[in-house]
Amino acid sequence: MSLLWMDGFDDGFALNQKYVLNGAPTVGTARNGSGFVSTSDQAAVVRALGANKSTIIVGCAIATNAINYWYLHDWGIIAGFVGTNGQWTIRVNTSTFLLEARRGGSSGTLLATGTHVLPADGTFNYIEVKVVCSTTSDGSIEVRLNGAVEFTFSGQTCGSYSYVDTIRLQGQIKIDDVYI
């Protein structure tokens, strides 16, 4: 496994020079200097991986507040795609404020739920996701929250494909210090 991409959003480049944009995300104040700041539920930065990846690891710092939990629920925060087809999604449930893994898009089949409530006070938390993509029973997902395992899942992790070619960071949220 090799590092495919990392971004602290501190380099001064416009987001559209590094990502495909959905909506109107911006760069603003975040955890360590600048970060991705979304003011729209449908805004996203989309990073093509350059090849189909059957195993992918994504990490990023996220900050939420009470106002934007609704948007996290509908759009997720980290998602693996093939073209425009969502294969897996990590989102925050707005009723429980817990992380969830879903097969497909953010309203897809619930695979696993975390146990730690994410604070709604703008505090940054670091989320890391490792997905072994599978349309059968041999896939897996591991989600870490601030370095500790939050939950794991074994089984069918992806919708229609056993790989992803794109990672989306999305929702009304602040994101910083990304690696893929």
Side-chain angles (χ1 to χ4, degrees), residues 61-86:
I62 67 161
T64 61
N65 62 48
I67 295 170
N68 62 24
Y69 265 126
W70 182 85
Y71 296 108
L72 292 171
H73 177 75
D74 282 353
W75 291 97
I77 49 176
I78 304 170
F81 276 72
V82 174
T84 59
N85 297 313

Side-chain angles (χ1 to χ4, degrees), residues 1 17 31 42 44 50 71-72 80 89 95 107 124 143 156 167 171:
M1 182 120 300
Q17 293 177 295
R31 184 170 85 149
Q42 297 180 31
Y71 296 108
L72 292 171
T89 301
S95 298
S107 60
F124 275 92
V143 173
Q156 182 184 352
I167 297 296

Side-chain angles (χ1 to χ4, degrees), residues 65-138:
N65 62 48
I67 295 170
N68 62 24
Y69 265 126
W70 182 85
Y71 296 108
L72 292 171
H73 177 75
D74 282 353
W75 291 97
I77 49 176
I78 304 170
F81 276 72
V82 174
T84 59
N85 297 313
Q87 297 305 300
W88 55 264
T89 301
I90 305 301
R91 72 175 199 177
V92 177
N93 182 298
T94 57
S95 298
T96 63
F97 307 114
L98 301 174
L99 288 172
E100 295 180 343
R102 297 216 169 227
R103 180 173 43 250
S106 63
S107 60
T109 303
L110 177 64
L111 303 177
T113 302
T115 58
H116 293 91
V117 173
L118 288 179
D121 62 1
T123 301
F124 275 92
N125 289 275
Y126 209 83
I127 296 175
E128 297 171 285
V129 179
K130 179 181 179 181
V131 179
V132 177
C133 300
S134 176
T135 57
T136 62
S137 62
D138 60 347

